[in-house]
PDB file of all heavy atoms in Angstrom:
ATOM      1  N   ARG Z 146     -51.160-106.883  76.475  1.00  0.00           N
ATOM      2  CA  ARG Z 146     -50.249-106.123  75.612  1.00  0.00           C
ATOM      3  C   ARG Z 146     -50.530-104.626  75.697  1.00  0.00           C
ATOM      4  O   ARG Z 146     -49.618-103.818  75.729  1.00  0.00           O
ATOM      5  CB  ARG Z 146     -50.348-106.609  74.160  1.00  0.00           C
ATOM      6  CG  ARG Z 146     -49.609-107.918  73.910  1.00  0.00           C
ATOM      7  CD  ARG Z 146     -49.401-108.201  72.431  1.00  0.00           C
ATOM      8  NE  ARG Z 146     -50.624-108.155  71.649  1.00  0.00           N
ATOM      9  CZ  ARG Z 146     -51.446-109.193  71.456  1.00  0.00           C
ATOM     10  NH1 ARG Z 146     -51.159-110.365  72.006  1.00  0.00           N
ATOM     11  NH2 ARG Z 146     -52.528-109.067  70.725  1.00  0.00           N
ATOM     12  N   SER Z 147     -51.811-104.254  75.732  1.00  0.00           N
ATOM     13  CA  SER Z 147     -52.170-102.837  75.859  1.00  0.00           C
ATOM     14  C   SER Z 147     -51.635-102.253  77.162  1.00  0.00           C
ATOM     15  O   SER Z 147     -51.112-101.133  77.186  1.00  0.00           O
ATOM     16  CB  SER Z 147     -53.688-102.655  75.805  1.00  0.00           C
ATOM     17  OG  SER Z 147     -54.163-102.930  74.518  1.00  0.00           O
ATOM     18  N   GLN Z 148     -51.756-103.010  78.245  1.00  0.00           N
ATOM     19  CA  GLN Z 148     -51.230-102.551  79.535  1.00  0.00           C
ATOM     20  C   GLN Z 148     -49.713-102.447  79.494  1.00  0.00           C
ATOM     21  O   GLN Z 148     -49.126-101.512  80.049  1.00  0.00           O
ATOM     22  CB  GLN Z 148     -51.682-103.501  80.649  1.00  0.00           C
ATOM     23  CG  GLN Z 148     -53.170-103.431  80.935  1.00  0.00           C
ATOM     24  CD  GLN Z 148     -53.641-104.532  81.870  1.00  0.00           C
ATOM     25  OE1 GLN Z 148     -52.835-105.253  82.462  1.00  0.00           O
ATOM     26  NE2 GLN Z 148     -54.951-104.668  82.004  1.00  0.00           N
ATOM     27  N   CYS Z 149     -49.083-103.389  78.812  1.00  0.00           N
ATOM     28  CA  CYS Z 149     -47.623-103.361  78.664  1.00  0.00           C
ATOM     29  C   CYS Z 149     -47.192-102.110  77.900  1.00  0.00           C
ATOM     30  O   CYS Z 149     -46.244-101.430  78.288  1.00  0.00           O
ATOM     31  CB  CYS Z 149     -47.161-104.632  77.937  1.00  0.00           C
ATOM     32  SG  CYS Z 149     -45.389-104.680  77.573  1.00  0.00           S
ATOM     33  N   VAL Z 150     -47.913-101.789  76.797  1.00  0.00           N
ATOM     34  CA  VAL Z 150     -47.590-100.599  76.005  1.00  0.00           C
ATOM     35  C   VAL Z 150     -47.751 -99.340  76.855  1.00  0.00           C
ATOM     36  O   VAL Z 150     -46.907 -98.440  76.819  1.00  0.00           O
ATOM     37  CB  VAL Z 150     -48.464-100.524  74.728  1.00  0.00           C
ATOM     38  CG1 VAL Z 150     -48.339 -99.161  74.054  1.00  0.00           C
ATOM     39  CG2 VAL Z 150     -48.082-101.627  73.759  1.00  0.00           C
ATOM     40  N   THR Z 151     -48.823 -99.292  77.652  1.00  0.00           N
ATOM     41  CA  THR Z 151     -49.056 -98.127  78.512  1.00  0.00           C
ATOM     42  C   THR Z 151     -47.907 -97.955  79.502  1.00  0.00           C
ATOM     43  O   THR Z 151     -47.393 -96.844  79.678  1.00  0.00           O
ATOM     44  CB  THR Z 151     -50.399 -98.265  79.258  1.00  0.00           C
ATOM     45  OG1 THR Z 151     -51.448 -98.284  78.281  1.00  0.00           O
ATOM     46  CG2 THR Z 151     -50.617 -97.117  80.224  1.00  0.00           C
ATOM     47  N   ARG Z 152     -47.474 -99.044  80.120  1.00  0.00           N
ATOM     48  CA  ARG Z 152     -46.343 -98.977  81.070  1.00  0.00           C
ATOM     49  C   ARG Z 152     -45.069 -98.527  80.362  1.00  0.00           C
ATOM     50  O   ARG Z 152     -44.314 -97.694  80.866  1.00  0.00           O
ATOM     51  CB  ARG Z 152     -46.125-100.332  81.748  1.00  0.00           C
ATOM     52  CG  ARG Z 152     -47.137-100.660  82.825  1.00  0.00           C
ATOM     53  CD  ARG Z 152     -46.714-101.880  83.650  1.00  0.00           C
ATOM     54  NE  ARG Z 152     -46.467-103.058  82.822  1.00  0.00           N
ATOM     55  CZ  ARG Z 152     -47.402-103.939  82.450  1.00  0.00           C
ATOM     56  NH1 ARG Z 152     -48.664-103.759  82.813  1.00  0.00           N
ATOM     57  NH2 ARG Z 152     -47.091-104.989  81.719  1.00  0.00           N
ATOM     58  N   ALA Z 153     -44.831 -99.084  79.173  1.00  0.00           N
ATOM     59  CA  ALA Z 153     -43.624 -98.732  78.421  1.00  0.00           C
ATOM     60  C   ALA Z 153     -43.632 -97.254  78.045  1.00  0.00           C
ATOM     61  O   ALA Z 153     -42.613 -96.565  78.180  1.00  0.00           O
ATOM     62  CB  ALA Z 153     -43.507 -99.606  77.172  1.00  0.00           C
ATOM     63  N   MET Z 154     -44.785 -96.765  77.599  1.00  0.00           N
ATOM     64  CA  MET Z 154     -44.884 -95.350  77.214  1.00  0.00           C
ATOM     65  C   MET Z 154     -44.710 -94.436  78.430  1.00  0.00           C
ATOM     66  O   MET Z 154     -44.092 -93.375  78.324  1.00  0.00           O
ATOM     67  CB  MET Z 154     -46.206 -95.074  76.507  1.00  0.00           C
ATOM     68  CG  MET Z 154     -46.290 -95.686  75.110  1.00  0.00           C
ATOM     69  SD  MET Z 154     -45.070 -95.011  73.947  1.00  0.00           S
ATOM     70  CE  MET Z 154     -45.852 -93.451  73.532  1.00  0.00           C
ATOM     71  N   GLN Z 155     -45.227 -94.839  79.563  1.00  0.00           N
ATOM     72  CA  GLN Z 155     -45.027 -94.034  80.783  1.00  0.00           C
ATOM     73  C   GLN Z 155     -43.545 -93.933  81.117  1.00  0.00           C
ATOM     74  O   GLN Z 155     -43.077 -92.902  81.593  1.00  0.00           O
ATOM     75  CB  GLN Z 155     -45.794 -94.658  81.956  1.00  0.00           C
ATOM     76  CG  GLN Z 155     -47.290 -94.458  81.860  1.00  0.00           C
ATOM     77  CD  GLN Z 155     -48.066 -95.273  82.888  1.00  0.00           C
ATOM     78  OE1 GLN Z 155     -47.540 -96.190  83.518  1.00  0.00           O
ATOM     79  NE2 GLN Z 155     -49.346 -94.957  83.042  1.00  0.00           N
ATOM     80  N   HIS Z 156     -42.824 -94.985  80.823  1.00  0.00           N
ATOM     81  CA  HIS Z 156     -41.379 -95.001  81.093  1.00  0.00           C
ATOM     82  C   HIS Z 156     -40.598 -94.198  80.039  1.00  0.00           C
ATOM     83  O   HIS Z 156     -39.632 -93.501  80.366  1.00  0.00           O
ATOM     84  CB  HIS Z 156     -40.895 -96.456  81.123  1.00  0.00           C
ATOM     85  CG  HIS Z 156     -39.412 -96.598  81.258  1.00  0.00           C
ATOM     86  ND1 HIS Z 156     -38.742 -96.325  82.426  1.00  0.00           N
ATOM     87  CD2 HIS Z 156     -38.473 -96.972  80.356  1.00  0.00           C
ATOM     88  CE1 HIS Z 156     -37.445 -96.526  82.241  1.00  0.00           C
ATOM     89  NE2 HIS Z 156     -37.258 -96.920  80.991  1.00  0.00           N
ATOM     90  N   LEU Z 157     -41.035 -94.269  78.771  1.00  0.00           N
ATOM     91  CA  LEU Z 157     -40.263 -93.675  77.676  1.00  0.00           C
ATOM     92  C   LEU Z 157     -40.583 -92.211  77.381  1.00  0.00           C
ATOM     93  O   LEU Z 157     -39.719 -91.465  76.938  1.00  0.00           O
ATOM     94  CB  LEU Z 157     -40.489 -94.479  76.382  1.00  0.00           C
ATOM     95  CG  LEU Z 157     -39.892 -95.884  76.335  1.00  0.00           C
ATOM     96  CD1 LEU Z 157     -40.331 -96.598  75.065  1.00  0.00           C
ATOM     97  CD2 LEU Z 157     -38.373 -95.826  76.418  1.00  0.00           C
ATOM     98  N   VAL Z 158     -41.841 -91.814  77.598  1.00  0.00           N
ATOM     99  CA  VAL Z 158     -42.244 -90.447  77.243  1.00  0.00           C
ATOM    100  C   VAL Z 158     -41.885 -89.493  78.374  1.00  0.00           C
ATOM    101  O   VAL Z 158     -42.443 -89.569  79.467  1.00  0.00           O
ATOM    102  CB  VAL Z 158     -43.759 -90.382  76.917  1.00  0.00           C
ATOM    103  CG1 VAL Z 158     -44.177 -88.940  76.645  1.00  0.00           C
ATOM    104  CG2 VAL Z 158     -44.077 -91.261  75.716  1.00  0.00           C
ATOM    105  N   ARG Z 159     -40.959 -88.623  78.091  1.00  0.00           N
ATOM    106  CA  ARG Z 159     -40.536 -87.626  79.086  1.00  0.00           C
ATOM    107  C   ARG Z 159     -41.603 -86.539  79.184  1.00  0.00           C
ATOM    108  O   ARG Z 159     -42.266 -86.229  78.192  1.00  0.00           O
ATOM    109  CB  ARG Z 159     -39.197 -87.025  78.672  1.00  0.00           C
ATOM    110  CG  ARG Z 159     -38.096 -88.063  78.591  1.00  0.00           C
ATOM    111  CD  ARG Z 159     -36.817 -87.476  78.031  1.00  0.00           C
ATOM    112  NE  ARG Z 159     -35.818 -88.514  77.858  1.00  0.00           N
ATOM    113  CZ  ARG Z 159     -34.664 -88.341  77.214  1.00  0.00           C
ATOM    114  NH1 ARG Z 159     -34.367 -87.157  76.690  1.00  0.00           N
ATOM    115  NH2 ARG Z 159     -33.806 -89.336  77.093  1.00  0.00           N
ATOM    116  N   PRO Z 160     -41.768 -85.940  80.377  1.00  0.00           N
ATOM    117  CA  PRO Z 160     -42.827 -84.932  80.557  1.00  0.00           C
ATOM    118  C   PRO Z 160     -42.777 -83.794  79.541  1.00  0.00           C
ATOM    119  O   PRO Z 160     -43.810 -83.350  79.037  1.00  0.00           O
ATOM    120  CB  PRO Z 160     -42.589 -84.417  81.980  1.00  0.00           C
ATOM    121  CG  PRO Z 160     -41.844 -85.515  82.666  1.00  0.00           C
ATOM    122  CD  PRO Z 160     -41.034 -86.204  81.608  1.00  0.00           C
TER     123      PRO Z 160
END
Side-chain angles (χ1 to χ4, degrees):
R146 283 195 307 272
S147 291
Q148 291 170 10
C149 176
V150 168
T151 297
R152 284 191 304 273
M154 289 297 282
Q155 287 170 346
H156 174 72
L157 291 174
V158 176
R159 299 174 185 170

